[in-house]
Amino acid sequence: MKNQIVSEYVKYCLKSGNTPANVFLFCETLNLTESEFYQHFSSLEKVEEYVLVSRWEMVDSKFASDEQFASYSIAEKMLTLHFAFIESVREIRSYLLWKFKDWKNPMDQIKGLMGLRAAFQSTVLPLLNEASLSGEVPDRKALSTLNVEALGLNLAFVLHFWLNDDSADFERTDACIEKSVQLTMDFVGRNAVDKLFDLGKFLIQGFQK
């Protein structure tokens, strides 16, 4: 029922060009009582927020027990998740174009993305922790939150790029995902800062002998 409510909400917005005025009017279109609605959502705003969250949850569920995905490097996992998410939102592109029609700057903090941000973080943080334990990603405790935020901002950037992409089969978005994820992983992974830190430790140890 939860996903049905979300689906009907998307249809309502696209057909009317407006969000429902209130829960009562929206429930009438579903032949649903308000009491039944509130079993799943506390408000229409929460339904709106869940539109993107539900798409991310589909992606997360798809790969949660995938052994091949588990064997990927952290960079490959991030690429896979980005590609899968954009593939999943194709079905609601018209709605997203309508909803985010005023989204000009890709780095703007959009209220409608806060739910997606939280869902994304709940998926990605454990993956980064695993990569840190294995040594694939440097253990920077002070920067772990920044790493998750950087990847989350990249997902928002990719979503914005895709909504403005008019290339055939969104080929430019594919290239954007590959380049932006690689750039972000260069920041998250072992980079010049870590090499400088390693050199510093080496020099200090040398002087202490």
Side-chain angles (χ1 to χ4, degrees):
M1 177 57 71
K2 192 172 185 178
N3 287 331
Q4 182 184 348
I5 291 173
V6 170
S7 178
E8 291 300 323
Y9 179 86
V10 168
K11 290 178 184 177
Y12 184 103
C13 292
L14 287 175
K15 288 180 177 180
S16 67
N18 294 288
T19 57
N22 54 57
V23 172
F24 172 77
L25 289 175
F26 176 59
C27 285
E28 275 198 328
T29 67
L30 278 73
N31 194 26
L32 193 72
T33 67
E34 286 194 59
S35 178
E36 289 172 317
F37 174 89
Y38 289 123
Q39 290 176 16
H40 304 282
F41 295 101
S42 60
S43 66
L44 290 172
E45 287 74 20
K46 290 299 181 181
V47 178
E48 182 178 279
E49 184 178 86
Y50 193 67
V51 173
L52 283 174
V53 172
S54 65
R55 295 286 158 170
W56 182 263
E57 287 180 347
M58 288 168 54
V59 171
D60 181 53
S61 177
K62 178 180 179 180
F63 296 109
S65 58
D66 188 313
E67 293 183 3
Q68 184 176 0
F69 178 80
S71 69
Y72 289 167
S73 68
I74 187 63
E76 290 171 328
K77 287 175 181 175
M78 291 304 106
L79 279 171
T80 299
L81 290 172
H82 278 70
F83 276 119
F85 177 69
I86 293 301
E87 184 65 30
S88 74
V89 293
R90 282 191 178 207
E91 295 178 1
I92 56 168
R93 181 176 169 85
S94 294
Y95 167 79
L96 294 176
L97 286 170
W98 170 79
K99 175 175 171 53
F100 293 122
K101 57 183 177 293
D102 297 322
W103 188 10
K104 305 302 181 185
N105 184 341
M107 292 298 102
D108 280 347
Q109 293 297 315
I110 304 297
K111 182 180 178 181
L113 295 180
M114 295 307 292
L116 175 63
R117 172 179 175 269
F120 174 85
Q121 289 183 343
S122 69
T123 298
V124 171
L125 187 56
L127 297 179
L128 285 175
N129 287 339
E130 289 175 10
S132 178
L133 288 173
S134 68
E136 187 181 359
V137 170
D139 184 12
R140 310 189 196 103
K141 291 182 175 62
L143 295 179
S144 59
T145 301
L146 286 178
N147 289 342
V148 178
E149 290 293 349
L151 288 163
L153 286 173
N154 189 70
L155 184 69
F157 170 76
V158 167
L159 179 62
H160 181 274
F161 186 95
W162 172 70
L163 288 173
N164 290 278
D165 186 3
D166 59 1
S167 63
D169 201 28
F170 307 117
E171 293 174 351
R172 293 178 63 236
T173 297
D174 290 346
C176 174
I177 291 173
E178 291 180 0
K179 294 179 184 300
S180 64
V181 170
Q182 183 58 60
L183 179 62
T184 308
M185 292 311 301
D186 285 345
F187 167 77
V188 172
R190 188 165 291 280
N191 55 37
V193 173
D194 299 288
K195 293 175 182 177
L196 183 61
F197 181 71
D198 288 343
L199 176 60
K201 283 203 305 183
F202 171 77
L203 292 175
I204 290 173
Q205 290 170 352
F207 285 127
Q208 289 176 341
K209 290 182 179 180

